[in-house]
Amino acid sequence: MAIVRKLGLLLAALSVVSLGLIVTTADAAACKYNNGLACPQATPCCSLHGHCGNSRVACAVGCNAAASFNGRCVRSLGTAQQLTDGPGANGKPRPVPSLPNGAFKVVGNTGVAAQHIALVTPTKMLIIDKAEANPVKLPSGISAYNAEYDLVTNNIRLLDVTTNTFCSGGGFLPNGTMISAGGAEARKSRAFATEGGFQSLRMWNPCDDGTCEWMENPADPAWTMTGNRWYVSITTLPSGELFILGGSNESLAINSLATNNPTWEIYPKPANVKAADYTPNFMQFMVDSLPNNLYPNVYSLPDGNIFIFANQKSMIFNVAKNEVIKRMPDLPGGPRSYPLTGSHILLPLDPAKNYAHEILVCGGSEAKTEKSKALQSCGRINLADADPQWEMDEMPTPRLMGDAIALADGKIMFLNGCMTGYAGFRHGHDPVFTPAVYDPAAPHGQRFTEWEPSNIARMYHSVAMLLPDGSVFVAGSNENSEVRLKDVPFPTEYRVENFTPPYLSTDLARPEIVSKVPEKVAYAQKVSVTVDVKDTSKYDPEVVFMLGHRGFVTHSTHMSQRMTKLVAQATHTEGTKITYEVAMPPNANIMPPGPHYMHMLNNGVPSVAVHFLLN
């Protein structure tokens, strides 16, 4: 068997050499998570934690030289992405990025601490903080704690809000209206004043002219909250209604039986039920998952059911019947929900795989102590399997309070967070500066790489989101119970970073969607889309369309975030312009209604996304 294995490895190495790519070194030691091989040239350094990477961290102190490419802990320059991705379907290599590990750049200032964010138009980001003494002031002279951030100018417009938005949830209606619900207690000081937000509901009707404002606690009884909800999760259902789940009855460090709100309800309320007669639905799962069950993760499924994860537990649930369909096995390794917060994401869907829903959960913390270690393990589960089980993997480094976002090419970027402690004011330590990137299509054990680190610590109350131009918006971090700008280990952070993924720095011109896409698109509709791939002299066109919903982001929870590949057929070519018939998702179970962004990618390089309402 040993001879057969060595022969197989030799043949594999020779097949790669035949493409002109030297992958490994003879007689090298094996890097722990690289299937018994030394690291390849694309990701040459065997990091301290046993993953191959090409970042400064992977190649720094602790790197295993014997298991690294050519026996040295030296970064590979210029060809990393080409070698990682391999040749395209046409036999030619992929475009080569000038920034093979991406780059962070400070571009602006949020004015208010970025505890929650929502992309409400292609150029406007809502920044939502709790009521606190931010340096920026409203005309009344009190501190603002909500702002609208302009992604083009990097300027802010301060917003007035009367209820405390601290640790609220959010979601989008089919018409693009953003709902913020829940919050915390009333607060008043010389610097700020706010009414209680535990049962508050706020509506934001997006605009581009700087005139839109919050509408709070509408008089319509359909939007009446039934009880206090702090750390509440909100998910858009295929019906277009909002599913409101969990939370606690008061502000606290960790949930308990006495403070738990183990119920769910729907917004808007049914028209035939009076608000006074409406009773939220009890959910035993939200008791079983105590105490680490705040901000549970919820995803709608192709069959109309939903998947719910909290702590280490998960289940498939039927909303219409208020019925548990199936309990999943517990995820090994430790708690993964607030305050031992991990990163959660629904992996991008693919019609070629019958839209199989796979959930990825990474990181968390061992316990609610100052010195507890963040978890390094990840679990991935395919809900389409007859008997779904968690497949375990490991990140390059442990991570607590990290964000997981689906990039334009379907890879998953993990960023922000720390390696010690737990979520809460001044309880997180040892920030993680280096992003980890997960390729869902790569073989098990080879899915993670690392990119260029930031130099800004982003831990508790930090956020990140994919932007329409394919870059990543990164903001927030406030380890302090109130605004602190100095004399603390981690001051309140207002700087905005923009991260440029490698796919935005290649030698291939960015493609462009040049035809007008309707503002409203129906399910199963076939839309004619003309794209300009700009240049075909070096790379033959390889076009893919990806559709995504960005959701509402807070506390490492990306509510309703999801992405799917679209079916597209070329119908006409004229020079570098190609017209495609692009089929929208077949139904709302795949992508619930609301605002969506569609990228076209050529050889992995994305266009700027177009925005429309899918209904």
Side-chain angles (χ1 to χ4, degrees):
M1 290 298 292
I3 295 174
V4 171
R5 172 174 169 75
K6 289 182 179 179
L7 178 60
L9 294 177
L10 177 60
L11 290 173
L14 289 174
S15 67
V16 177
V17 170
S18 69
L19 294 174
L21 309 177
I22 301 174
V23 174
T24 189
T25 307
D27 300 322
C31 197
K32 183 177 179 181
Y33 295 106
N34 196 37
N35 289 344
L37 298 173
C39 292
Q41 185 176 357
T43 51
C45 298
C46 182
S47 73
L48 172 66
H49 301 285
H51 288 267
C52 294
N54 193 33
S55 68
R56 292 174 184 170
V57 173
C59 300
V61 176
C63 171
N64 181 354
S68 298
F69 180 74
N70 279 341
R72 299 187 302 159
C73 291
V74 178
R75 297 178 68 194
S76 176
L77 302 177
T79 60
Q81 190 69 25
Q82 180 183 11
L83 291 168
T84 299
D85 288 349
N90 56 19
K92 292 184 179 180
R94 292 286 189 186
V96 180
S98 59
L99 298 171
N101 295 295
F104 284 93
K105 180 182 179 181
V106 175
V107 295
N109 186 295
T110 57
V112 303
Q115 185 180 126
H116 324 67
I117 58 173
L119 184 65
V120 290
T121 78
T123 61
K124 298 291 192 296
M125 184 80 76
L126 276 187
I127 311 292
I128 303 172
D129 189 14
K130 67 170 184 169
E132 61 181 332
N134 290 299
V136 292
K137 307 293 182 183
L138 293 165
S140 63
I142 66 172
S143 292
Y145 57 98
N146 278 222
E148 181 186 70
Y149 187 94
D150 190 304
L151 297 166
V152 177
T153 65
N154 294 306
N155 293 325
I156 59 171
R157 178 171 71 95
L158 300 181
L159 305 173
D160 198 358
V161 60
T162 62
T163 56
N164 195 351
T165 47
F166 184 27
C167 299
S168 52
F172 285 83
L173 299 177
N175 67 355
T177 296
M178 202 279 288
I179 301 296
S180 165
E185 65 278 351
R187 303 189 73 205
K188 188 174 182 179
S189 75
R190 292 180 180 179
F192 59 87
T194 179
E195 298 173 8
F198 284 119
Q199 294 189 40
S200 296
L201 187 139
R202 299 159 286 270
M203 291 184 169
W204 182 270
N205 292 314
C207 66
D208 284 314
D209 60 4
T211 62
C212 38
E213 299 285 348
W214 282 113
M215 179 173 70
E216 298 183 77
N217 296 323
D220 187 343
W223 297 99
T224 302
M225 292 190 70
T226 59
N228 288 2
R229 293 193 187 273
W230 193 64
Y231 279 85
V232 57
S233 285
I234 300 178
T235 304
T236 304
L237 296 175
S239 63
E241 299 166 306
L242 297 181
F243 179 77
I244 317 298
L245 176 64
S248 65
N249 294 314
E250 61 184 65
S251 300
L252 40 72
I254 191 168
N255 211 359
S256 69
L257 191 61
T259 59
N260 193 28
N261 186 340
T263 67
W264 63 270
E265 55 188 302
I266 296 293
Y267 291 167
K269 302 287 190 301
N272 60 346
V273 178
K274 294 182 179 180
D277 297 332
Y278 184 87
T279 303
N281 300 273
F282 174 76
M283 182 180 283
Q284 181 63 41
F285 176 86
M286 294 305 296
V287 176
D288 298 341
S289 55
L290 283 168
N292 304 295
N293 71 348
L294 296 176
Y295 280 139
N297 295 87
V298 184
Y299 306 98
S300 64
L301 302 179
D303 59 5
N305 294 317
I306 60 174
F307 173 84
I308 303 174
F309 182 99
N311 201 335
Q312 295 175 258
K313 300 182 180 299
S314 57
M315 69 172 181
I316 296 175
F317 183 77
N318 186 287
V319 175
K321 297 179 180 179
N322 190 22
E323 178 179 283
V324 177
I325 303 300
K326 180 186 288 188
R327 290 269 190 156
M328 300 293 116
D330 285 1
L331 174 57
R336 315 277 182 161
S337 299
Y338 186 90
L340 310 182
T341 311
S343 307
H344 309 245
I345 191 167
L346 169 68
L347 295 180
L349 309 177
D350 188 346
K353 298 178 181 178
N354 199 28
Y355 300 102
H357 279 46
E358 294 188 78
I359 310 296
L360 179 68
V361 182
C362 291
S365 185
E366 295 174 337
K368 184 177 167 286
T369 67
E370 295 289 329
K371 296 183 178 181
S372 60
K373 300 299 182 184
L375 303 179
Q376 191 170 352
S377 62
C378 295
R380 174 172 169 173
I381 191 167
N382 188 339
L383 301 178
D385 289 345
D387 182 25
Q389 299 292 324
W390 292 100
E391 175 191 71
M392 302 306 293
D393 205 342
E394 285 203 359
M395 295 184 287
T397 57
R399 193 181 300 259
L400 160 73
M401 296 186 284
D403 286 276
I405 60 172
L407 297 172
D409 61 359
K411 293 184 175 68
I412 309 303
M413 182 178 182
F414 291 87
L415 69 166
N416 302 338
C418 62
M419 291 190 286
T420 310
Y422 61 97
F425 295 123
R426 298 200 187 182
H427 297 308
H429 313 282
D430 303 319
V432 180
F433 296 98
T434 303
V437 184
Y438 180 91
D439 184 352
H444 181 251
Q446 301 179 45
R447 293 170 180 158
F448 280 104
T449 55
E450 292 182 301
W451 278 349
E452 194 72 14
S454 170
N455 59 8
I456 298 177
R458 297 197 188 271
M459 298 186 288
Y460 192 43
H461 292 162
S462 59
V463 291
M465 183 181 287
L466 177 70
L467 295 179
D469 68 359
S471 66
V472 179
F473 179 92
V474 189
S477 193
N478 190 5
E479 283 281 300
N480 312 289
S481 59
E482 303 294 342
V483 171
R484 295 288 183 270
L485 303 179
K486 60 181 181 179
D487 301 327
V488 290
F490 300 103
T492 304
E493 183 59 66
Y494 294 104
R495 286 173 291 178
V496 176
E497 287 177 290
N498 181 268
F499 180 80
T500 300
Y503 57 49
L504 293 182
S505 69
T506 74
D507 58 347
L508 176 62
R510 289 193 69 180
E512 181 183 0
I513 297 175
V514 295
S515 62
K516 184 173 177 59
V517 175
E519 294 181 359
K520 295 183 179 180
V521 179
Y523 290 103
Q525 179 179 342
K526 294 182 178 179
V527 181
S528 179
V529 181
T530 300
V531 304
D532 189 347
V533 297
K534 304 292 187 179
D535 182 17
T536 59
S537 62
K538 190 173 183 180
Y539 304 103
D540 291 338
E542 290 183 23
V543 172
V544 173
F545 289 85
M546 302 292 285
L547 182 69
H549 176 71
R550 304 294 186 255
F552 179 93
V553 181
T554 186
H555 292 76
S556 305
T557 306
H558 291 240
M559 302 177 193
S560 298
Q561 176 187 209
R562 57 198 296 131
M563 179 179 284
T564 186
K565 185 181 290 186
L566 298 175
V567 176
Q569 179 68 44
T571 60
H572 179 72
T573 300
E574 185 176 343
T576 59
K577 294 182 179 179
I578 311 172
T579 299
Y580 288 86
E581 185 180 75
V582 183
M584 291 297 109
N587 56 61
N589 293 342
I590 305 302
M591 297 292 285
H596 288 72
Y597 293 84
M598 182 175 71
H599 288 278
M600 180 275 279
L601 297 96
N602 178 28
N603 284 277
V605 178
S607 69
V608 173
V610 294
H611 168 263
F612 53 81
L613 294 177
L614 178 65
N615 285 286

